[in-house]
């Protein structure tokens, strides 16, 4: 599966952005989709993940502010980001991990679990 992320930009503190990740390939419902981010000088960190069965997990730092979703028919995955903070500034990546079943509840926030990656999209939150 190939992925392409978009939707980043410059926003003020408290603002919102919606990132999109368009996938190409087959059997997308067999993949868990994750969003990761990497700020300058920092390691890549998991932000959120949605399973094949649409269960989700979030990093503590974004709980209550970010919402992940997927539309397999459109081959598109989303990360709605609200109440953005300057510390959310980073390059955001989407990634896919094979779950093995459309009913799988598998999620992960570990980048090593994901084999397919999209290019990043820059999110900058000004204070």
């Amino acid at each position: 599966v190939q992925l392409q992320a978009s939707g980043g930009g410059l926003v003020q503190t408290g603002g919102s952005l919606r990132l999109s990740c368009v996938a190409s390939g087959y059997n997308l419902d067999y993949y868990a989709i994750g969003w990761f981010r990497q700020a300058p000088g920092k390691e890549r960190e998991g932000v959120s993940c949605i399973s094949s069965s649409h269960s989700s997990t979030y990093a503590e730092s974004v709980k209550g502010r970010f919402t992940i979703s997927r539309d397999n028919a459109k081959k598109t995955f989303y990360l709605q980001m609200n109440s953005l903070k300057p510390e959310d500034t980073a390059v955001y990546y989407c990634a896919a991990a094979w779950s093995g079943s459309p009913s799988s509840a598998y999620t992960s926030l570990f980048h090593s679990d994901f084999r397919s990656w999209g290019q990043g999209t820059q999110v900058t939150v000004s204070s």
Side-chain angles (χ1 to χ4, degrees):
V1 61
Q2 294 184 323
L3 305 168
Q4 183 169 354
S6 63
L10 174 64
V11 64
Q12 291 185 334
T13 297
S16 298
L17 283 173
R18 187 176 79 158
L19 304 184
S20 298
C21 176
V22 177
S24 61
Y26 300 94
N27 297 326
L28 294 178
D29 51 349
Y30 283 69
Y31 288 88
I33 301 298
W35 285 96
F36 294 79
R37 66 187 181 187
Q38 189 165 19
K42 294 188 177 181
E43 293 188 357
R44 189 168 299 190
E45 65 170 338
V47 174
S48 183
C49 183
I50 187 165
S51 72
S52 296
S53 62
H54 293 236
S55 59
S56 57
T57 189
Y58 296 90
E60 286 296 326
S61 59
V62 306
K63 276 184 180 178
R65 299 188 298 123
F66 291 11
T67 303
I68 193 170
S69 61
R70 63 189 296 161
D71 186 335
N72 290 336
K74 293 183 178 180
K75 297 187 176 183
T76 305
F77 315 97
Y78 305 97
L79 184 69
Q80 178 67 42
M81 306 186 296
N82 299 329
S83 303
L84 283 162
K85 305 175 181 179
E87 51 263 44
D88 294 319
T89 295
V91 178
Y92 283 71
Y93 301 87
C94 56
W98 179 257
S99 73
S101 169
S103 62
S104 171
Y106 168 80
T107 60
S108 174
L109 293 180
F110 294 100
H111 63 81
S112 58
D113 290 336
F114 293 77
R115 296 293 182 91
S116 300
W117 289 82
Q119 90 294 353
T121 185
Q122 176 70 48
V123 172
T124 303
V125 184
S126 63
S127 57

